[in-house]
Amino acid sequence: MQTEPSPTQTAPHAAGAVSADTHGNLLTIRDLRISFDLQGEPLEVVKGASLRIKPGSVVALVGESGSGKSVISQTIMGILPRNGSITSGEIAFSDPAKDGAVTDIATLPQSSDMMRRIRGGRISIIFQEPMTSLSPVHTIGNQIEEALVLHTPTRGRAAREETEQMLGRVGFPNPQRAYDMYPFELSGGLRQRAMIAMALICRPALLIADEPSTALDVTVQAQVLALLKDLQAEFGMAMLLITHDLGVVANMADEVVVIYHGEIMEAGPVKEIFGKPQHPYLKALLAAVPHFDMQPGERLVSLRSAAPAKAGNGKSKKAKPETAAADDLPILKVDSLVKSFQIKKGSFFSSDSQEAVRVVDNVSFEIRRGECLGLVGESGCGKTTVSKLITRALTPDSGRVTFSAKPGEAIDLTSLDAGKLKAARSDIQMIFQDPFGSLNPRMTVLEILREPLAIHGMGNHAAQLERVTELMRQVGLDPRYLSRYPHSFSGGQRQRIGIARALALDPSLIICDEPVSALDVSVQAQILNLLKDLQSELNLTYLFISHNLAVVDYMADRIAVMWKGRLVEVAQRSTLFRNPRHPYTRALLEAVPYPDLERQLDFEKMRLRPGSDTANWDEKFRPSQDGGQAGAMELLEVEPGHRVLVRSGTPASEVI
């Protein structure tokens, strides 16, 4: 697909009128320019963009955060912020329900009757974050039915029945019950399914999916993508898929449009885009994606460098040793960790009875000094809870966490009082998932980085300022930025500030909790390369928590797979991906969308046999029905360094 030539600019025309033929397209965007008024100065964010969407096709709009993707989608929907305006161009919508009558959306007032009929009725949108997109004070059924009532004559019982039918179509197991549930009662995957139901209830001609799977883990993402494919075929609708995930693009799109800083860089059929990329920016995007075929020592290619400056001043107290003693203790050893939470039974509002839910169930692992252990699993499996137990943000019900900051010295973190725990925490730091939410918006970068030094009484003001300056250079940021506040930085820069804060106290162990899941692929490559460089330079040890298996494959030496509070498989990185033994591990790997047209997801298999459904597992892997008592399941070593969770007494020869 080539983008269609921009028409010669003419004087503004009447609302809804179109100046040129749409060539049988459902939506045609020509020479679209959008500006935002920032303190009286116009800032052009979309610069002459042109693209087309054929009826029934999937067009992927690909680019980094800030490239203008979502602004284009907001403009199509007529929900552009008040300080935004279309300065030129057309958005020609050819509505099949009106015998192809063409309307120029760019000329319609956002509050006009015609725009209201199109918005939600003929063109619908699914937003990135389902929790913030759904009203917390209305039931799921109310919110879906509202769109039906606004755009169709359906009312009353008929509207409820049609809403319940749509909930069933998008995969709710009990649509009648789901109708009366609130968003906070649903998992992330079900909330996204509710958003899809709301978008499709009026059978739109065009669905805009704005990062529909970014906030979901890999298996739920695969289910949502399969659902979108099925519904698109059932309703015969077209889709504009906005994403930065090239794996999703390879599995969903017919045509691809690549955008950078508001300009279209390259466009064409998906086979040409992946088979013969032409533009340097597209080639760089493809090279920035971590994949399972990378060679040992191979690095991701970052679009922009974030290389750390070498310390070189002897300030770091943990210089990398030339050799490690063979009998050194693991830096961290977790033994039989258990944690339960009390939750209400039944409906959130209808019952006061409670039950204990075990979210971490007999978890044991160790991390050797200088290595990176990857901890992977779906949302809700207990990964973050394990990290909180290690740092004593939560207290375990039972089990031990033994930490060895110095070779030959070991302390039990679970038995420390407040004073000793504060000292131990200086050696264990965290990098959090959300680079903006984890930084205080009222503190400058200088104050953020000085805070841990002040809390632990490390140095005077001058020494702290010198250390903060060194930290900025280590993470590839200009020390002149120290007086700025977090809001003035990009997502990648904010995450580097978070990394600098974690390094401030020269820790031995850093827990990385989904450190790149909120970042697009090019910034992700920067951060991952930076973490690798810092690990090598400062002899750091990482516990790297993620649901992105390709990222973990790039970072980790060993990988532990977690399912419903239990470790189900632990092995060397190469062993785990070459020869996974547990059915859940295999299901995770099968759900990874590759940026490769030759390795498409098997949506049919995922529909019929979900990997996380224990009914599909062999008996030896299936959890016993005795409440998980000790001895019912065990991590069996099936080959050196490779352990798999099986029924007690299962021979290693049967775990194949």
Side-chain angles (χ1 to χ4, degrees):
M1 179 194 76
Q2 299 297 322
T3 53
E4 296 174 3
S6 302
T8 303
Q9 190 64 39
T10 60
H13 40 275
V18 178
S19 64
D21 184 20
T22 60
H23 305 293
N25 301 329
L26 178 68
L27 190 81
T28 306
I29 298 177
R30 294 188 186 88
D31 193 31
L32 182 64
R33 295 180 179 273
I34 303 170
S35 294
F36 281 82
D37 183 10
L38 298 180
Q39 298 179 344
E41 293 293 328
L43 175 66
E44 191 171 54
V45 295
V46 177
K47 307 168 184 177
S50 298
L51 61 93
R52 69 182 185 191
I53 303 174
K54 295 285 187 182
S57 68
V58 179
V59 175
L61 185 58
V62 181
E64 299 174 88
S65 298
S67 61
K69 308 187 301 294
S70 293
V71 172
I72 290 175
S73 72
Q74 291 170 350
T75 306
I76 296 171
M77 291 294 297
I79 55 174
L80 200 63
R82 289 186 177 182
N83 65 333
S85 61
I86 301 170
T87 56
S88 71
E90 294 179 339
I91 305 174
F93 175 56
S94 179
D95 192 347
K98 296 184 177 180
D99 298 322
V102 181
T103 303
D104 184 4
I105 292 173
T107 64
L108 294 178
Q110 292 188 5
S111 59
S112 66
D113 289 342
M114 186 180 294
M115 190 67 242
R116 285 173 176 165
R117 286 194 294 270
I118 293 173
R119 183 195 304 124
R122 305 305 302 146
I123 304 177
S124 291
I125 189 167
I126 304 170
F127 295 102
Q128 178 174 352
E129 179 45 66
M131 190 60 189
T132 56
S133 303
L134 294 169
S135 168
V137 297
H138 295 88
T139 65
I140 293 298
N142 289 154
Q143 296 180 67
I144 297 171
E145 190 176 301
E146 181 184 22
L148 187 65
V149 170
L150 283 173
H151 294 283
T152 72
T154 310
R155 299 288 186 276
R157 182 63 196 172
R160 174 164 183 141
E161 288 176 356
E162 192 163 339
T163 300
E164 290 175 354
Q165 289 176 7
M166 182 58 71
L167 285 169
R169 273 196 177 97
V170 299
F172 277 84
N174 188 338
Q176 292 76 24
R177 181 171 180 269
Y179 182 98
D180 295 313
M181 296 179 75
Y182 289 85
F184 60 81
E185 297 181 87
L186 304 177
S187 67
L190 286 177
R191 285 197 293 263
Q192 194 62 291
R193 288 170 187 266
M195 284 290 300
I196 293 171
M198 190 187 307
L200 299 185
I201 190 69
C202 295
R203 309 297 196 276
L206 173 64
L207 174 66
I208 301 173
D210 190 355
E211 303 276 11
S213 61
T214 299
L216 306 176
D217 47 56
V218 64
T219 51
V220 178
Q221 172 181 263
Q223 294 168 14
V224 168
L225 295 179
L227 174 64
L228 287 173
K229 263 190 172 297
D230 291 344
L231 293 173
Q232 184 205 5
E234 180 182 347
F235 297 150
M237 65 183 178
M239 190 185 308
L240 176 61
L241 178 63
I242 296 173
T243 184
H244 61 253
D245 189 331
L246 294 172
V248 171
V249 172
N251 281 275
M252 295 291 291
D254 301 310
E255 299 178 334
V256 183
V257 178
V258 182
I259 187 170
Y260 175 69
H261 281 193
E263 296 185 71
I264 305 298
M265 298 289 106
E266 189 166 349
V270 66
K271 289 184 179 179
E272 291 184 10
I273 292 294
F274 281 91
K276 297 179 181 178
Q278 301 296 316
H279 197 277
Y281 176 68
L282 176 56
K283 293 178 181 178
L285 274 183
L286 291 167
V289 180
H291 55 85
F292 295 114
D293 301 325
M294 298 183 73
Q295 300 300 314
E298 184 180 354
R299 288 171 65 86
L300 296 173
V301 180
S302 175
L303 274 70
R304 286 166 290 279
S305 174
K310 300 296 182 183
N313 58 5
K315 295 285 183 184
S316 177
K317 70 181 182 184
K318 292 186 174 62
K320 186 174 182 178
E322 294 184 7
T323 60
D327 59 347
D328 272 356
L329 294 171
I331 191 170
L332 186 77
K333 187 174 183 180
V334 174
D335 288 317
S336 304
L337 212 56
V338 174
K339 180 64 180 178
S340 297
F341 292 113
Q342 298 292 325
I343 65 168
K344 289 190 175 183
K345 295 177 67 176
S347 169
F348 186 83
F349 295 107
S350 65
S351 175
D352 291 329
S353 61
Q354 294 187 335
E355 64 176 341
V357 175
R358 186 172 285 192
V359 294
V360 176
D361 187 1
N362 198 35
V363 167
S364 300
F365 61 84
E366 61 183 41
I367 308 177
R368 293 186 286 272
R369 199 174 304 277
E371 83 166 338
C372 175
L373 175 70
L375 184 59
V376 302
E378 295 173 290
S379 297
C381 71
K383 305 186 302 293
T384 298
T385 304
V386 167
S387 72
K388 291 179 179 179
L389 293 171
I390 292 171
T391 58
R392 282 284 304 277
L394 293 172
T395 301
D397 299 338
S398 62
R400 289 165 55 90
V401 178
T402 306
F403 180 59
S404 176
K406 299 178 181 178
E409 296 181 6
I411 55 174
D412 180 8
L413 295 177
T414 59
S415 65
L416 297 182
D417 59 28
K420 292 180 179 178
L421 183 60
K422 178 181 176 182
R425 278 177 172 159
S426 67
D427 259 317
I428 305 175
Q429 294 292 301
M430 287 193 71
I431 301 170
F432 297 96
Q433 177 174 358
D434 184 352
F436 190 69
S438 61
L439 300 176
N440 189 331
R442 297 185 178 185
M443 296 172 68
T444 65
V445 175
L446 174 61
E447 292 168 334
I448 289 170
L449 298 185
R450 275 193 61 211
E451 185 178 35
L453 299 171
I455 288 172
H456 289 270
M458 297 182 64
N460 57 25
H461 186 276
Q464 290 173 2
L465 181 59
E466 183 182 358
R467 175 62 177 150
V468 165
T469 303
E470 178 193 4
L471 288 168
M472 291 289 281
R473 293 197 178 101
Q474 279 187 326
V475 298
L477 291 174
D478 193 324
R480 291 177 296 178
Y481 297 164
L482 283 170
S483 60
R484 295 186 182 181
Y485 289 86
H487 72 268
S488 63
F489 294 91
S490 68
Q493 288 174 324
R494 286 197 289 261
Q495 194 61 293
R496 280 187 261 166
I497 294 168
I499 293 171
R501 180 177 59 185
L503 293 173
L505 300 175
D506 283 319
S508 301
L509 172 67
I510 295 182
I511 300 173
C512 307
D513 189 2
E514 301 274 12
V516 295
S517 64
L519 307 175
D520 54 54
V521 63
S522 56
V523 180
Q524 173 182 276
Q526 282 182 20
I527 299 302
L528 293 178
N529 285 340
L530 176 63
L531 288 171
K532 270 187 168 290
D533 292 339
L534 292 170
Q535 182 185 20
S536 175
E537 180 187 346
L538 303 177
N539 193 34
L540 297 172
T541 304
Y542 292 147
L543 173 60
F544 195 96
I545 298 171
S546 180
H547 62 254
N548 188 323
L549 290 171
V551 167
V552 173
D553 175 50
Y554 181 66
M555 289 295 300
D557 302 299
R558 289 186 304 126
I559 297 174
V561 181
M562 198 167 185
W563 173 82
K564 291 190 176 180
R566 297 293 302 263
L567 295 185
V568 298
E569 192 159 3
V570 182
Q572 290 289 328
R573 175 192 61 81
S574 57
T575 301
L576 189 81
F577 290 117
R578 185 185 72 249
N579 187 22
R581 302 291 185 94
H582 198 280
Y584 179 67
T585 308
R586 291 172 181 164
L588 287 180
L589 290 170
E590 288 171 354
V592 175
Y594 288 83
D596 184 348
L597 298 180
E598 303 300 319
R599 304 171 74 173
Q600 297 275 304
L601 289 174
D602 188 347
F603 289 126
E604 187 64 26
K605 180 178 179 181
M606 292 173 191
R607 253 183 243 110
L608 298 176
R609 295 175 61 85
S612 57
D613 185 353
T614 58
N616 296 323
W617 298 1
D618 290 342
E619 184 70 23
K620 57 180 169 286
F621 298 112
R622 200 174 302 157
S624 59
Q625 302 302 314
D626 61 0
Q629 295 176 2
M633 306 291 290
E634 64 172 332
L635 274 171
L636 176 68
E637 190 166 43
V638 295
E639 58 182 318
H642 189 175
R643 295 182 294 155
V644 182
L645 186 70
V646 295
R647 289 283 183 94
S648 296
T650 302
S653 59
E654 292 185 10
V655 187
I656 57 174

